[in-house]
């Protein structure tokens, strides 16, 4: 946890992790100890179709979690949905639910739903566009990177959704299975008054979090200027639905501030940061035009 210049508390957490309860190589106890020892404030064990319980301890929160999946081929759609903070097992039957039905069932149990690794699953924006109620989609998923897999990065999917008018909040997660480099890499920083299940879920619902592998940042929008302030990075890149912009990339060793001037055709803007260790951070899309605020 750290406190920013405005006095807000930020907590570090991973919301997608696997254990020996299904296809992970670490026991739940080992996974918790590993993340806690790496300075994480909260963790969700999200084994496939096996729900973990919420456990609140001093200075560490284990959130209940479970990963549901439907579909076996890309043409018909493959979807993996992570349930966070549920108070009981959602009433879902393998192979017999819709994506909206899964989100609704998770909400009915008091939890929040995150769309896992959409690029890895080859999800298309038009498939997710009608679904309401996702707290986030993973813009980066550690275990989907090489050498374990492929397509870890879902930025194009996020942008495609935004072009269609749906601004999806972005999370990052390890989805750790092998624990040979896929752990403690990608996480969220979440703003809350204190570390409780209720506060974390409220922050997820409110979008009070961002995805990162290390860089920390804040942003402000004043008139037509978007300003990013951050821990030292090497590069800040702004993404929008304007195809070309001369000020889209800022590169400087130890850069701690970057600016982007909104263009007449911009409806949304998001940004990515890269530090000297090639660790990334990703903002969620920011609405800069009316009508671009839905999940």
């Amino acid at each position: 946890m750290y406190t920013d210049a405005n006095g807000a508390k930020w907590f570090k957490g991973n919301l997608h992790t696997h254990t020996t309860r299904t296809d992970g190589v670490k026991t739940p106890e080992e996974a918790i100890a590993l993340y806690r020892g790496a300075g994480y404030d909260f963790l969700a064990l999200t084994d496939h179709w096996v729900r973990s319980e919420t456990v609140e301890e001093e200075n560490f929160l284990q959130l209940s979690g479970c990963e549901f999946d439907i579909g076996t081929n890309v043409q018909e759609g493959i979807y993996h949905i992570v349930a966070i903070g549920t108070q009981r097992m959602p009433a879902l039957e393998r192979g017999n639910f819709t994506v909206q039905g899964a989100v609704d069932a998770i909400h009915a149990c008091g939890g929040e739903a995150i769309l896992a690794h959409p690029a890895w699953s080859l999800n298309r924006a038009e498939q997710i566009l009608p679904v309401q109620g996702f707290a986030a989609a993973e813009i980066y998923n550690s275990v989907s990177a090489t050498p374990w897999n492929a397509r870890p990065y879902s930025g194009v999917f996020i942008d495609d959704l935004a072009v269609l008018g749906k601004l999806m909040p972005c999370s990052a997660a390890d989805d750790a299975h092998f624990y040979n480099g896929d752990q403690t890499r990608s996480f969220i920083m979440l703003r809350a008054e204190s570390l409780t299940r209720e506060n974390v879920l409220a922050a997820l619902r409110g979008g009070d979090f961002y995805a990162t592998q290390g860089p920390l940042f804040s942003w402000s929008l004043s008139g037509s200027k978007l300003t990013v302030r951050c821990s030292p990075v090497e590069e800040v890149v702004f993404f929008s639905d304007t195809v070309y912009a001369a000020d889209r990339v800022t590169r400087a060793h130890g850069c701690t501030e970057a600016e982007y001037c909104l263009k007449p055709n911009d409806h949304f803007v998001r940004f990515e940061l890269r530090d000297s260790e090639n660790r990334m951070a990703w903002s969620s899309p920011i609405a800069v035009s009316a009508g671009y605020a839905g999940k």
Side-chain angles (χ1 to χ4, degrees):
M1 188 272 288
Y2 82 96
T3 303
D4 67 18
N6 297 316
K9 296 177 182 178
W10 292 85
F11 297 93
K12 178 179 180 179
N14 178 31
L15 296 179
H16 193 173
T17 317
H18 294 276
T19 75
T20 52
R21 286 173 176 162
T22 53
D23 56 351
V25 303
K26 294 285 188 185
T27 66
E29 295 76 17
E30 289 171 333
I32 292 167
L34 190 156
Y35 278 90
R36 190 168 188 171
Y40 283 65
D41 301 298
F42 61 94
L43 176 70
L45 303 181
T46 55
D47 284 301
H48 302 278
W49 293 87
V50 178
R51 178 181 171 273
S52 63
E53 295 287 347
T54 294
V55 180
E56 295 188 12
E57 301 179 19
E58 186 176 1
N59 299 322
F60 191 78
L61 173 64
Q62 179 187 334
L63 286 159
S64 65
C66 186
E67 182 175 1
F68 302 100
D69 64 276
I70 187 170
T72 58
N73 66 76
V74 169
Q75 286 73 29
E76 294 179 3
I78 296 172
Y79 308 96
H80 287 229
I81 301 162
V82 175
I84 301 296
T86 58
Q87 294 177 305
R88 61 186 184 277
M89 187 68 170
L92 295 171
E93 181 183 345
R94 285 180 185 266
N96 189 28
F97 62 90
T98 64
V99 178
Q100 187 66 67
V103 174
D104 292 345
I106 291 165
H107 287 170
C109 296
E112 293 298 323
I114 296 173
L115 180 65
H117 44 63
W120 181 86
S121 301
L122 284 178
N123 295 147
R124 275 88 76 193
E126 61 270 20
Q127 295 171 320
I128 300 301
L129 183 65
V131 181
Q132 298 298 310
F134 274 119
E138 292 175 356
I139 193 169
Y140 195 86
N141 179 283
S142 296
V143 82
S144 293
T146 59
W148 310 282
N149 219 300
R151 294 193 302 269
Y153 172 68
S154 296
V156 175
F157 170 83
I158 297 295
D159 289 346
D160 283 347
L161 273 179
V163 167
L164 295 173
K166 189 182 191 72
L167 301 189
M168 181 73 84
C170 296
S171 65
D174 286 331
D175 193 5
H177 286 71
F178 306 102
Y179 294 88
N180 60 357
D182 59 344
Q183 77 280 6
T184 64
R185 294 184 63 184
S186 307
F187 51 93
I188 62 170
M189 296 299 300
L190 178 142
R191 182 172 57 191
E193 284 296 316
S194 60
L195 193 60
T196 66
R197 170 188 170 274
E198 290 76 15
N199 285 346
V200 170
L201 292 183
L204 289 176
R205 285 191 294 271
D208 288 333
F209 59 91
Y210 61 86
T212 183
Q213 295 176 318
L216 306 176
F217 65 80
S218 63
W219 60 270
S220 60
L221 184 61
S222 179
S224 62
K225 184 180 293 184
L226 177 63
T227 302
V228 176
R229 295 179 176 85
C230 54
S231 56
V233 298
E234 303 298 294
E235 182 178 78
V236 181
V237 181
F238 294 90
F239 297 76
S240 74
D241 52 343
T242 294
V243 176
Y244 174 76
D247 59 344
R248 194 176 296 287
V249 181
T250 297
R251 283 182 173 172
H253 179 62
C255 174
T256 58
E257 185 171 315
E259 293 182 344
Y260 174 78
C261 292
L262 301 183
K263 308 303 181 284
N265 291 328
D266 283 343
H267 295 91
F268 74 93
V269 180
R270 67 177 182 87
F271 53 87
E272 300 183 358
L273 304 90
R274 178 181 58 83
D275 71 8
S276 60
E277 299 178 47
N278 286 322
R279 300 179 304 176
M280 299 294 296
W282 306 268
S283 81
S284 297
I286 302 160
V288 295
S289 178
Y292 273 68
K295 294 182 183 180

